[in-house]
C-alpha cells in the first residue's frame, strides 16, 4: 500500500502528482500552524470536508481512504522517532510513503524523508509541479486569489477556485431590481478574494456574483461580506434554504465592487455585468 502524507490545502496540481500514485492518504484536520504559530496560520483554500473529499478523489483509486488527525500540541511535540513507530503500527502493510520535497514532521520539524529512510522506510519524494517556471504551492494560490488573479489561481489549481459556504437570507432587493440572488456566506477561515463582481459556475448553472458588502444599499449594506449570485439560466423551482451548503466556482473577475449614486444606476450596471458574465 502506498500512503500519501501532507496537508494538501487546495489539492492543487502538485498535490495531485503525489496523490495519483497513492492508495490512501494521511493528513490533518487543522493546519499545523494553528498550533505552533497561530498568529501566522493562513486562510485556507478549501473547507475541511471539501479538502478530504478532493484528496480521496485524487487518489490512484478514486474514493480511497483518507485519515485526518487532529493536530494537537501533543502531536506537535512528538519526537520524529515516535511518529515513525506510530506509522509502522498503524500501517503494517505500508509499501511506499509518498510526500513532497519540503515535507517535515515531528517536534521542531526534525523528521523528514531521509529520517524515515534511515529507519527502513521506503519513501518517495515527488518533485514539485511547476507553473510559469515556479513551483506550484498553496501559498502561491492564496497569493493569486488575494490579488484577484483568477487566471493564475486556476492554472495552479488545475480548476477554478471554489467559494464554499452556506445560504444566507437575502434582503429582497435583488428580486425587486429584476436580478434575484442566492446569497452565500463563505465558510469561516477561507481565503478572501478582492471585493468585486465575478462570473461563476454553480450546481444550478452559470451566474454572475457580487462579492462584498453591497455598499450602494448604504444603511442596508451587509455587515460582513456576502457572495450574491444571480443565476443566468432557468432557475430551479427549489433552491437551497437558509443555512444549506452551497458553492460557486469563480471563473473570471469582471470589475471591482462600487457604490452607485442610485439603485437605477446599480440596476443598469448589473444588466451589463450579466452580459459580460455570459461571455466570460
Amino acid at each position: 500500500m502506498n500512503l500519501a502524507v501532507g496537508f494538501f490545502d487546495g489539492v492543487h496540481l502538485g498535490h495531485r502528482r503525489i496523490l495519483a500514485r497513492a492508495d490512501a492518504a494521511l493528513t490533518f484536520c487543522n493546519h499545523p500552524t494553528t498550533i505552533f504559530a497561530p498568529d501566522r496560520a493562513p486562510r485556507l483554500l478549501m473547507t475541511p470536508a471539501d479538502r478530504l473529499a478532493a484528496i480521496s478523489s485524487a487518489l490512484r483509486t478514486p474514493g480511497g481512504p483518507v485519515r485526518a488527525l487532529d493536530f494537537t500540541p501533543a502531536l506537535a511535540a512528538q519526537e520524529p522517532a515516535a511518529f515513525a513507530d506510530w506509522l509502522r503500527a498503524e500501517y503494517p502493510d505500508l509499501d511506499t510513503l509518498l510526500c513532497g520535497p519540503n515535507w517535515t514532521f515531528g517536534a521542531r520539524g526534525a523528521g523528514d524523508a531521509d529520517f524515515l529512510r534511515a529507519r527502513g522506510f521506503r519513501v518517495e519524494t515527488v518533485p514539485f509541479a511547476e507553473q510559469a517556471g515556479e513551483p506550484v504551492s498553496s501559498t502561491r494560490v492564496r497569493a493569486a486569489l488575494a490579488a484577484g488573479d483568477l487566471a493564475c489561481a486556476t492554472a495552479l489549481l488545475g480548476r477554478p477556485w471554489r467559494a464554499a459556504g452556506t445560504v444566507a437570507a437575502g434582503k429582497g432587493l435583488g428580486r425587486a431590481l429584476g436580478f434575484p440572488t442566492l446569497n452565500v456566506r463563505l465558510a469561516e477561515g477561507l481565503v478572501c478574494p478582492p471585493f468585486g463582481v465575478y462570473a461563476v459556475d454553480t450546481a444550478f448553472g452559470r451566474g454572475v456574483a457580487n462579492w462584498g458588502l453591497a455598499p450602494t444599499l448604504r444603511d442596508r449594506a451587509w455587515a460582513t461580506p456576502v457572495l450574491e449570485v444571480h443565476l443566468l439560466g432557468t432557475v430551479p423551482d427549489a433552491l437551497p434554504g437558509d443555512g444549506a451548503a452551497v458553492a460557486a466556482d469563480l471563473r473570471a473577475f469582471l470589475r471591482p465592487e462600487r457604490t452607485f449614486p442610485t439603485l437605477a444606476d446599480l440596476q443598469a450596471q448589473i444588466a451589463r455585468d450579466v452580459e459580460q458574465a455570459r461571455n466570460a
Side-chain angles (χ1 to χ4, degrees):
M1 185 265 287
N2 289 353
L3 179 69
V5 290
F7 190 70
F8 304 119
D9 185 31
V11 192
H12 56 57
L13 293 178
H15 295 148
R16 279 185 267 168
R17 290 180 64 173
I18 299 171
L19 294 165
R21 301 163 74 167
D23 306 295
L26 177 64
T27 187
F28 298 113
C29 298
N30 52 313
H31 198 282
T33 55
T34 61
I35 299 301
F36 61 75
D39 57 321
R40 293 192 288 109
R43 286 186 168 270
L44 300 180
L45 298 169
M46 307 177 85
T47 66
D50 284 348
R51 179 169 55 88
L52 297 183
I55 290 171
S56 180
S57 295
L59 292 171
R60 180 158 57 184
T61 301
V66 179
R67 184 171 183 177
L69 304 177
D70 288 325
F71 196 86
T72 63
L75 188 58
Q78 186 182 60
E79 292 299 325
F83 180 72
D85 292 341
W86 181 89
L87 275 177
R88 286 196 191 281
E90 294 294 317
Y91 296 95
D93 59 343
L94 179 61
D95 177 31
T96 302
L97 197 73
L98 297 155
C99 63
N102 59 349
W103 179 65
T104 61
F105 62 92
R108 305 170 301 282
D112 58 12
D114 286 337
F115 180 94
L116 290 176
R117 290 185 184 111
R119 282 153 181 79
F121 287 85
R122 180 178 176 184
V123 184
E124 184 174 343
T125 302
V126 180
F128 290 116
E130 290 195 354
Q131 191 272 335
E134 297 291 335
V136 174
S137 70
S138 300
T139 300
R140 280 189 70 193
V141 180
R142 294 184 197 111
L145 287 171
D149 190 347
L150 289 188
C152 179
T154 299
L156 295 167
L157 290 168
R159 65 188 185 285
W161 179 69
R162 174 159 293 181
T166 55
V167 176
K171 303 174 183 297
L173 182 60
R175 187 172 299 278
L177 294 176
F179 301 100
T181 60
L182 179 67
N183 306 303
V184 184
R185 289 197 184 279
L186 266 59
E188 187 77 21
L190 287 187
V191 295
C192 186
F195 287 176
V197 177
Y198 295 82
V200 302
D201 284 329
T202 76
F204 317 105
R206 179 68 52 84
V208 60
N210 185 80
W211 163 242
L213 302 174
T216 301
L217 302 187
R218 292 165 175 91
D219 61 342
R220 295 182 63 199
W222 297 104
T224 57
V226 170
L227 187 71
E228 300 173 285
V229 182
H230 172 66
L231 299 172
L232 303 184
T234 302
V235 179
D237 292 334
L239 289 172
D242 292 356
V246 289
D249 294 341
L250 303 193
R251 298 184 59 258
F253 180 78
L254 303 183
R255 64 172 177 85
E257 185 177 52
R258 291 171 49 197
T259 302
F260 291 89
T262 67
L263 290 179
D265 292 321
L266 172 61
Q267 185 179 39
Q269 181 59 57
I270 294 173
R272 291 190 288 271
D273 295 338
V274 165
E275 290 310 308
Q276 190 176 357
R278 290 187 194 280
N279 300 315

